[in-house]
Amino acid sequence: NRADNFKNGIANARTQLNAKGFNSTPILLGEWNIYWTFNLTGAENMTNSRSGVFDAIAYKYIVENSGNRNVMACTAWNAADGTYGKIKSDFSGFHSGGHVMKIFREEAVGEAIATTSSDNSQIEGFAVKRADGSLMIALMNRTDGPSKTVKIAGSYSPSSSTVVKMKIEGDNLITSNTT
């Protein structure tokens, strides 16, 4: 739920800039993460699957919130230090947040499409219509419970019945094709 605070912080920065006449000044988010310090209870959430969910929801908020439309860029905090890392400290692969960053950087390029959920405390969605007409849809499970069954509704006619499915489980990215 900390990503909810993230959205409000960006909106506040935009309001402050606009109040001073800096309406077109872009925002750069430097060094952000779930927590501001590494020596606290819960620090493991900065490298486990909660980090990936937090990052995905943060990216959704950056893109979908009209007040944040001019966020120019964002960076990750200490990529491989073992506490805040998107990358495993031995550089052998990504933690979940690293997979999320890579997927969003490569697949979520295009026009954001507003999404809704019947229960944002359980599942959040994010969608992008890409230049080639295809869709990137991300679903974020905000619970510690088991996998969820979701129904996606909308009007879209894909050019292919094959869909590339990417699922992040722990530090593993599982890619498969489905119909």
Side-chain angles (χ1 to χ4, degrees):
N1 292 331
R2 294 183 71 87
D4 299 336
N5 296 332
F6 184 84
K7 173 178 66 172
N8 297 334
I10 296 169
N12 182 51
R14 177 80 272 143
T15 298
Q16 297 297 321
L17 286 167
N18 290 355
K20 301 293 184 187
F22 297 106
N23 302 45
S24 62
T25 300
I27 295 172
L28 171 63
L29 303 175
E31 293 200 12
W32 54 274
N33 209 314
I34 296 173
Y35 303 110
W36 61 274
T37 186
F38 60 89
N39 58 351
L40 52 80
T41 301
E44 65 277 2
N45 293 330
M46 294 190 281
T47 56
N48 66 20
S49 60
R50 289 180 182 184
S51 172
V53 173
F54 173 87
D55 289 352
I57 293 170
Y59 297 146
K60 169 191 170 73
Y61 289 165
I62 290 167
V63 173
E64 286 187 356
N65 188 315
S66 62
N68 300 334
R69 288 268 181 219
N70 59 1
V71 171
M72 182 175 66
C74 59
T75 61
W77 199 343
N78 296 345
D81 74 351
T83 300
Y84 296 103
K86 305 291 182 223
I87 301 170
K88 294 180 182 180
S89 57
D90 66 359
F91 296 95
S92 64
F94 291 124
H95 288 299
S96 65
H99 287 300
V100 168
M101 181 177 271
K102 183 178 189 305
I103 290 168
F104 273 62
R105 186 188 75 236
E106 293 175 355
E107 306 296 335
V109 178
E111 177 189 346
I113 300 169
T115 60
T116 58
S117 172
S118 60
D119 187 351
N120 280 342
S121 70
Q122 299 280 314
I123 299 289
E124 290 230 27
F126 177 72
V128 172
K129 183 174 181 184
R130 301 183 319 187
D132 66 0
S134 65
L135 286 180
M136 181 275 200
I137 300 171
L139 299 173
M140 292 79 78
N141 182 353
R142 294 181 76 145
T143 71
D144 287 332
S147 296
K148 304 286 183 199
T149 299
V150 297
K151 183 186 288 187
I152 299 172
S155 57
Y156 175 70
S157 298
S159 59
S160 171
S161 62
T162 302
V163 175
V164 177
K165 177 182 170 184
M166 297 178 185
K167 180 179 182 180
I168 301 170
E169 265 186 18
D171 285 343
N172 300 310
L173 175 63
I174 302 160
T175 302
S176 62
N177 289 335
T178 188
T179 55

